[in-house]
Amino acid sequence: MYKRTEVLGNIHQKTLNYIKDEKLKKSYVVYRKEFQNTESFNKIYPYPIHVDIEIDNFCNFACVFCPMGQPNNKMNKFYKTSYKLEVNKIFELLDECKEIGVKSIQFNIVNEPLANKNIFKIISYAKKLNFDDIYFISNGYLLNEKNSLKILESGLTKIMFSLDAFSPETYSERRLKNKKPASYSKVIKNILNFLDIKKKKNKKFPLVKVSFIVMKSNKHEINKFKKFWENKVDAIHIQKFIDYEDKNLVTNYVNQTKCIMPMFRLSIKSDGNVRPCCLPYGENINLGNIYKETLLNIWNSKFMKNFQQMHLQNRAYENKFCTKCLKNTNA
């Protein structure tokens, strides 16, 4: 099976340990069972298990390894125009997700959720619907004390902080919108302060993950990164780098022929278009639009079923964007 991420820490067992309500615990077990069935390519359910909702397309960072920070990348064009989903539309989407059987919701794709003024209102609505997992990924730059307290009371089940470094020098590859280097010390201070507040308030949720995308410029810091965070957070994600500029930095051939994402996931962009995965190459593969079709119809469309079969039958190379994604992911 093809995996882009090495996960250190059994975050799902921790989740079960912390859920006190037996009904919610049983529901979480069902959710993980469904996910495992799709992850192993054994079953595709008549509904997506997980849905990404990109509430807007704004990020306060413009990282050099992300299409948002690559002005010459064709995928950068999408971020030159401002898009956002209205709150009521997001509520409608959440109602629909719950009705059709979706178990897990993530409130971003490329955007920074803490930059959206409505994020906590949105999370609160999702919490009332009792999704098994509600989470988002953040760069942590806006994780001040006020936002930390709001997160702890929001109903978020998991949060992941994208770091990709263990030193100010390596972290300087990240850029703010004004092109100045981001402050490594500020982000680390924010996260450690959040963990401290969480501990003092005796909060179990959200469980906390940190991530590290492996690149030539930072691979020498992996072990130090792991050692620093292993006793501080609930899980560590070591992720493969994907060359979105298609510069053949990784390999000239594809040795993987299928991907798990279309088996369980739909990703809703901030313009309403729906993709089969959360990765930028997937933004070239449009399944439909939430303003024209229901999620269930999109998931069960002929195009999506054929797309899933292509991956199940090890024919991902037939789609040029899937090929690029697989080819440009480091081994």
Side-chain angles (χ1 to χ4, degrees):
M1 181 175 61
Y2 185 49
K3 284 193 173 183
R4 299 182 188 277
T5 305
E6 172 194 1
V7 180
L8 307 175
N10 193 339
I11 200 163
H12 297 297
Q13 186 57 54
K14 278 190 176 182
T15 301
L16 284 172
N17 293 342
Y18 293 154
I19 296 175
K20 300 304 180 185
D21 185 285
E22 286 301 315
K23 184 177 179 180
L24 295 179
K25 184 172 288 191
K26 288 180 181 178
S27 180
Y28 193 86
V29 170
V30 170
Y31 152 54
R32 294 312 303 169
K33 179 68 174 177
E34 289 187 1
F35 184 85
Q36 288 161 11
N37 284 338
T38 59
E39 186 181 44
S40 57
F41 298 97
N42 287 327
K43 185 172 183 178
I44 298 176
Y45 291 87
Y47 48 83
I49 296 169
H50 172 86
V51 171
D52 304 301
I53 302 177
E54 186 180 68
I55 55 181
D56 58 42
N57 69 338
F58 174 81
C59 183
N60 54 328
F61 277 19
C63 302
V64 296
F65 50 82
C66 172
M68 191 174 282
Q70 299 170 346
N72 296 323
N73 189 330
K74 290 181 180 179
M75 289 183 278
N76 178 270
K77 184 179 179 181
F78 179 78
Y79 304 100
K80 292 179 179 179
T81 301
S82 178
Y83 295 103
K84 68 176 181 178
L85 298 174
E86 296 299 331
V87 173
N88 287 338
K89 184 60 180 178
I90 295 172
F91 289 172
E92 289 178 13
L93 286 170
L94 291 171
D95 288 337
E96 182 182 357
C97 285
K98 188 64 181 179
E99 182 180 344
I100 66 177
V102 174
K103 308 293 192 299
S104 172
I105 299 289
Q106 178 175 320
F107 287 115
N108 62 317
I109 299 179
V110 179
N111 58 301
E112 169 53 53
L114 291 178
N116 188 294
K117 66 179 182 179
N118 295 312
I119 184 60
F120 296 110
K121 183 190 299 185
I122 293 166
I123 294 171
S124 177
Y125 192 89
K127 178 62 176 176
K128 290 176 183 177
L129 294 175
N130 285 326
F131 287 100
D132 295 290
D133 244 349
I134 306 168
Y135 58 100
F136 64 69
I137 300 169
S138 171
N139 55 47
Y141 219 67
L142 303 177
L143 188 69
N144 52 35
E145 186 168 345
K146 181 180 179 181
N147 280 335
S148 293
L149 291 169
K150 285 184 175 182
I151 288 171
L152 292 172
E153 300 298 332
S154 67
L156 204 66
T157 61
K158 296 181 180 73
I159 186 169
M160 182 157 74
F161 297 110
S162 177
L163 296 174
D164 316 311
F166 190 69
S167 69
E169 294 76 23
T170 304
Y171 194 76
S172 66
E173 282 206 1
R174 290 182 172 276
R175 296 290 188 271
L176 299 182
K177 286 294 185 181
N178 58 12
K179 305 303 179 184
K180 292 182 179 179
S183 171
Y184 176 74
S185 60
K186 175 180 177 177
V187 171
I188 300 304
K189 181 180 178 181
N190 285 351
I191 297 172
L192 293 178
N193 185 53
F194 172 75
L195 293 170
D196 185 55
I197 295 172
K198 183 185 175 197
K199 183 177 180 180
K200 287 178 179 177
K201 287 188 166 292
N202 195 29
K203 294 285 187 179
K204 301 298 184 184
F205 295 102
L207 297 182
V208 179
K209 302 185 281 186
V210 291
S211 66
F212 188 105
I213 297 175
V214 181
M215 297 169 280
K216 288 182 180 179
S217 61
N218 68 1
K219 62 182 181 180
H220 62 286
E221 296 182 345
I222 294 175
N223 290 334
K224 290 180 179 179
F225 182 88
K226 290 178 181 178
K227 187 174 181 180
F228 180 81
W229 290 108
E230 63 183 356
N231 294 317
K232 294 180 175 67
V233 296
D234 300 292
I236 299 171
H237 284 212
I238 306 299
Q239 301 173 323
K240 294 181 177 182
F241 165 71
I242 304 176
D243 170 25
Y244 292 121
E245 294 182 287
D246 197 22
K247 293 180 176 178
N248 288 325
L249 297 179
V250 182
T251 179
N252 287 317
Y253 66 94
V254 177
N255 58 8
Q256 299 290 343
T257 55
K258 61 182 176 182
C259 176
I260 66 170
M261 287 201 189
M263 307 300 122
F264 69 89
R265 185 177 216 138
L266 285 180
S267 294
I268 303 169
K269 294 292 292 181
S270 50
D271 62 353
N273 285 325
V274 182
R275 316 301 193 196
C277 71
C278 63
L279 298 173
Y281 279 118
E283 293 186 13
N284 296 287
I285 305 169
N286 194 38
L287 304 176
N289 189 285
I290 58 170
Y291 296 105
K292 299 177 182 179
E293 304 162 81
T294 66
L295 291 178
L296 202 58
N297 284 344
I298 292 171
W299 178 257
N300 290 302
S301 67
K302 183 178 180 180
F303 182 92
M304 185 58 172
K305 294 300 115 181
N306 288 339
F307 189 78
Q308 290 169 334
Q309 286 301 313
M310 180 186 73
H311 282 272
L312 282 172
Q313 296 170 9
N314 296 293
R315 296 184 289 111
Y317 54 82
E318 292 182 6
N319 184 287
K320 66 178 182 180
F321 300 110
C322 292
T323 298
K324 283 186 177 184
C325 192
L326 293 168
K327 177 176 74 72
N328 293 333
T329 301
N330 62 357

Short mmCIF file of all heavy atoms in Angstrom, two decimals, residues 120 142-152 193 197:
data_model
loop_
_atom_site.label_atom_id
_atom_site.label_comp_id
_atom_site.label_asym_id
_atom_site.label_seq_id
_atom_site.Cartn_x
_atom_site.Cartn_y
_atom_site.Cartn_z
N PHE A 120 -14.59 29.28 14.48
CA PHE A 120 -15.09 28.66 15.71
C PHE A 120 -16.60 28.47 15.68
O PHE A 120 -17.13 27.51 16.24
CB PHE A 120 -14.64 29.47 16.93
CG PHE A 120 -13.14 29.47 17.09
CD1 PHE A 120 -12.41 30.62 16.86
CD2 PHE A 120 -12.47 28.30 17.42
CE1 PHE A 120 -11.03 30.61 16.98
CE2 PHE A 120 -11.08 28.28 17.55
CZ PHE A 120 -10.37 29.44 17.32
N LEU A 142 -0.88 32.11 14.13
CA LEU A 142 -1.95 32.90 14.74
C LEU A 142 -2.48 32.26 16.02
O LEU A 142 -3.53 32.63 16.53
CB LEU A 142 -3.10 33.08 13.74
CG LEU A 142 -2.71 33.74 12.40
CD1 LEU A 142 -3.91 33.78 11.47
CD2 LEU A 142 -2.17 35.14 12.64
N LEU A 143 -1.72 31.32 16.55
CA LEU A 143 -2.13 30.58 17.75
C LEU A 143 -1.78 31.38 19.02
O LEU A 143 -0.96 30.97 19.83
CB LEU A 143 -1.46 29.21 17.78
CG LEU A 143 -1.92 28.23 18.86
CD1 LEU A 143 -3.34 27.77 18.60
CD2 LEU A 143 -0.97 27.04 18.94
N ASN A 144 -2.44 32.53 19.17
CA ASN A 144 -2.23 33.31 20.39
C ASN A 144 -3.06 32.71 21.53
O ASN A 144 -3.78 31.72 21.36
CB ASN A 144 -2.60 34.78 20.16
CG ASN A 144 -3.99 34.93 19.57
OD1 ASN A 144 -4.91 34.17 19.88
ND2 ASN A 144 -4.17 35.92 18.69
N GLU A 145 -2.98 33.31 22.70
CA GLU A 145 -3.68 32.76 23.86
C GLU A 145 -5.20 32.76 23.66
O GLU A 145 -5.89 31.81 24.04
CB GLU A 145 -3.32 33.53 25.13
CG GLU A 145 -3.90 32.91 26.38
CD GLU A 145 -3.31 33.49 27.66
OE1 GLU A 145 -2.27 34.17 27.58
OE2 GLU A 145 -3.90 33.27 28.74
N LYS A 146 -5.71 33.82 23.04
CA LYS A 146 -7.15 33.92 22.80
C LYS A 146 -7.63 32.77 21.92
O LYS A 146 -8.62 32.10 22.22
CB LYS A 146 -7.47 35.26 22.15
CG LYS A 146 -8.95 35.48 21.87
CD LYS A 146 -9.18 36.85 21.21
CE LYS A 146 -10.66 37.07 20.90
NZ LYS A 146 -10.87 38.40 20.25
N ASN A 147 -6.92 32.53 20.83
CA ASN A 147 -7.30 31.44 19.93
C ASN A 147 -7.08 30.07 20.58
O ASN A 147 -7.84 29.13 20.32
CB ASN A 147 -6.51 31.54 18.62
CG ASN A 147 -7.09 32.55 17.67
OD1 ASN A 147 -8.28 32.87 17.72
ND2 ASN A 147 -6.26 33.10 16.79
N SER A 148 -6.05 29.96 21.40
CA SER A 148 -5.80 28.71 22.11
C SER A 148 -6.98 28.34 22.99
O SER A 148 -7.45 27.19 23.00
CB SER A 148 -4.53 28.82 22.96
OG SER A 148 -3.38 28.96 22.15
N LEU A 149 -7.48 29.30 23.73
CA LEU A 149 -8.63 29.07 24.62
C LEU A 149 -9.88 28.71 23.82
O LEU A 149 -10.65 27.82 24.20
CB LEU A 149 -8.87 30.30 25.49
CG LEU A 149 -7.80 30.59 26.56
CD1 LEU A 149 -8.02 31.97 27.17
CD2 LEU A 149 -7.82 29.52 27.65
N LYS A 150 -10.07 29.39 22.70
CA LYS A 150 -11.23 29.09 21.86
C LYS A 150 -11.16 27.68 21.28
O LYS A 150 -12.17 26.97 21.21
CB LYS A 150 -11.33 30.12 20.72
CG LYS A 150 -11.83 31.49 21.16
CD LYS A 150 -12.00 32.41 19.96
CE LYS A 150 -12.59 33.74 20.35
NZ LYS A 150 -12.80 34.63 19.18
N ILE A 151 -9.98 27.27 20.86
CA ILE A 151 -9.80 25.92 20.32
C ILE A 151 -10.15 24.87 21.36
O ILE A 151 -10.84 23.89 21.06
CB ILE A 151 -8.35 25.73 19.83
CG1 ILE A 151 -8.11 26.52 18.54
CG2 ILE A 151 -8.05 24.24 19.58
CD1 ILE A 151 -6.66 26.58 18.11
N LEU A 152 -9.70 25.08 22.57
CA LEU A 152 -9.92 24.10 23.64
C LEU A 152 -11.40 23.96 24.01
O LEU A 152 -11.82 22.93 24.54
CB LEU A 152 -9.10 24.48 24.87
CG LEU A 152 -7.59 24.36 24.71
CD1 LEU A 152 -6.87 24.95 25.91
CD2 LEU A 152 -7.18 22.89 24.51
N ASN A 193 2.89 26.99 24.39
CA ASN A 193 1.95 27.69 25.26
C ASN A 193 0.57 27.06 25.18
O ASN A 193 -0.12 26.89 26.20
CB ASN A 193 1.87 29.17 24.87
CG ASN A 193 1.01 29.97 25.84
OD1 ASN A 193 1.22 29.95 27.04
ND2 ASN A 193 0.02 30.67 25.30
N ILE A 197 -1.52 25.44 28.30
CA ILE A 197 -2.89 25.83 28.66
C ILE A 197 -3.80 24.60 28.66
O ILE A 197 -4.63 24.42 29.56
CB ILE A 197 -3.43 26.90 27.67
CG1 ILE A 197 -2.62 28.19 27.79
CG2 ILE A 197 -4.91 27.17 27.94
CD1 ILE A 197 -2.96 29.22 26.72
#
